[in-house]
Amino acid sequence: MRRPPRGWRHSRGHWMWWLAPTMLVAAWIIWGSVDAAPQVAAAVVTSSAIPPEGAKASATSTPAAAAPAVPFSASGIQARQDQRAVWQQRLERAKEALQAYDRSTRYPFESQPASDHVDQMRPNDPVVEDHALRQQDGKAADGVRLRTTQERIFVQGNESVKFTVSVVDRNGMALPLRVVRANAHEVPAPNTASLFPDVPMNFNDDGMAGDLVPSDKIYSAQLQPAQQGFGGLFGQIRVELALQYGGQQGFTYFDVMYTPEPPATWSGGVREAMEDGSLNLYLKANVKEAGRYVITGRIDDANGKPFALLTFNDEVAAGSQDIKLTVFGKLVRDAKPAFPLTLRDVDGFLLRPDAFPDRRLMPRIAGVVHTSKSYPLTSFSDTSWTSEERQRYLTELNKDLSNAQDHVDQLGKGP
């Protein structure tokens, strides 16, 4: 079975970001509860410090609370050193956990460095896969690989999607291939019959119908669901191919998630505003269906270098609404991007929890959407993001750190 397409994994991650800090702290709590070494016995003192059994205390004996310090025996000193080593390890883990959580949550989830989300910065790049040429019995064909490309996974309205397929040798050179059969069909929900007939697909190497270069041994086809029999379908379309290379038979398939009618459309330009030390970009949307919307935009600096991934994830009412994408102040202060900034490649969807498909797509806006004004660095706040949850976790992690430090300090003292 083919591994899930790269684009599918990325887009599903958009609305799961909020789990990361909680998982990090949970992992630390579980980890910190396990001793790094066996429990160390209490320190052993010399026998002269212990009165014989049944002996009465002298009238001039010093009370226990004021007893003079008693030196540790050799085994007691070793036990104390072992115990301190355990707490020293706990201290180092506590420092690492605090620093990691503080660093990973200094910016809000909706305004993240591009370097932390490289896989989401080029949403319109084709999905390229290179894998075994599987035969009908599931075995891999010898000496060759199957190379496929898919223009996009999620398709909306009148959008089309292009596919290519080729067989290559170990050096990446395309080999003669025959597409025996290709068709597109609905993948209905379990226990549900399809309402749409199969549609033949023409994978060709003639330089036509989506094929770029004739006779290059790369076969191409294009699917436009709205114009090829799937106009009323909201769901999954699968394109299946039967292939022949030499005397070997093989197969492959592509999956598309299709939304015929968008739940919201874009209805204007972008308004920008410096607010609370951050740059906010407001996109106007005409919302037909209320619900939770996930909108994503990419920011490049003036040199074209990817700078930030911006996300909106919130409930939106029906009607004309502003969708706010925030360039967080501290992110600007830390990274020092060259101005002006460019917003590009905005996409979004209405989330459908516990349903399939799990989203209804808005029209994508490919390419440059807006170019900001230029702002001095000092216009932006240098304050880390904060929330009740973040502060609560930082407080608990600091308690762990302080507790471990106290034990290390106490065990480092003499008797």
Side-chain angles (χ1 to χ4, degrees), residues 131-148:
H131 46 81
L133 173 59
R134 294 292 175 186
Q135 304 177 78
Q136 293 298 329
D137 59 4
K139 295 181 179 179
D142 295 331
V144 296
R145 303 284 293 174
L146 184 67
R147 182 169 296 166
T148 64

Side-chain angles (χ1 to χ4, degrees), residues 42 82 152 198 204 235 267 303 318 381 396:
D82 290 345
R152 56 177 60 96
D198 289 7
N204 76 95
S267 58
N303 300 318
S381 172
E396 292 303 316

Side-chain angles (χ1 to χ4, degrees), residues 95-300:
K95 288 179 180 178
E96 291 173 2
L98 176 60
Q99 291 171 358
Y101 183 79
D102 183 54
R103 181 172 57 252
S104 66
T105 60
R106 58 186 166 172
Y107 311 130
F109 303 120
E110 62 266 20
S111 186
Q112 290 284 304
S115 57
D116 291 351
H117 302 274
V118 175
D119 59 345
Q120 296 184 46
M121 294 306 294
R122 299 293 177 188
N124 298 317
D125 285 356
V127 180
V128 180
E129 293 189 324
D130 193 336
H131 46 81
L133 173 59
R134 294 292 175 186
Q135 304 177 78
Q136 293 298 329
D137 59 4
K139 295 181 179 179
D142 295 331
V144 296
R145 303 284 293 174
L146 184 67
R147 182 169 296 166
T148 64
T149 70
Q150 181 170 350
E151 191 174 14
R152 56 177 60 96
I153 305 295
F154 296 95
V155 180
Q156 189 275 318
N158 285 318
E159 288 182 334
S160 63
V161 53
K162 176 182 171 181
F163 312 96
T164 73
V165 59
S166 61
V167 169
V168 299
D169 61 17
R170 291 185 175 88
N171 297 318
M173 297 295 294
L175 300 172
L177 172 69
R178 179 171 172 244
V179 180
V180 179
R181 183 181 65 258
N183 64 77
H185 63 88
E186 178 191 9
V187 180
N191 303 317
T192 304
S194 174
L195 300 177
F196 298 85
D198 289 7
V199 175
M201 297 286 293
N202 178 29
F203 277 78
N204 76 95
D205 188 20
D206 302 326
M208 302 168 57
D211 187 63
L212 295 180
V213 181
S215 303
D216 63 352
K217 303 181 180 65
I218 299 176
Y219 286 77
S220 308
Q222 201 154 345
L223 175 67
Q224 189 175 14
Q227 303 300 322
Q228 290 178 252
F230 298 104
L233 185 152
F234 171 48
Q236 182 177 357
I237 302 171
R238 176 164 293 177
V239 177
E240 294 185 340
L241 292 81
L243 307 171
Q244 184 176 37
Y245 163 71
Q248 302 180 88
Q249 304 290 326
F251 75 98
T252 191
Y253 65 89
F254 303 91
D255 281 339
V256 169
M257 306 304 297
Y258 181 60
T259 300
E261 294 294 332
T265 56
W266 302 110
S267 58
V270 178
R271 175 174 62 88
E272 66 180 80
M274 283 293 302
E275 298 169 329
D276 299 324
S278 295
L279 176 60
N280 291 327
L281 304 175
Y282 293 91
L283 287 73
K284 185 70 70 176
N286 180 24
V287 180
K288 303 174 185 177
E289 183 177 344
R292 178 169 291 274
Y293 281 79
V294 180
I295 312 297
T296 306
R298 290 85 185 164
I299 294 288
D300 292 342

Side-chain angles (χ1 to χ4, degrees), residues 56-63:
K56 294 182 180 179
S58 168
T60 58
S61 297
T62 305

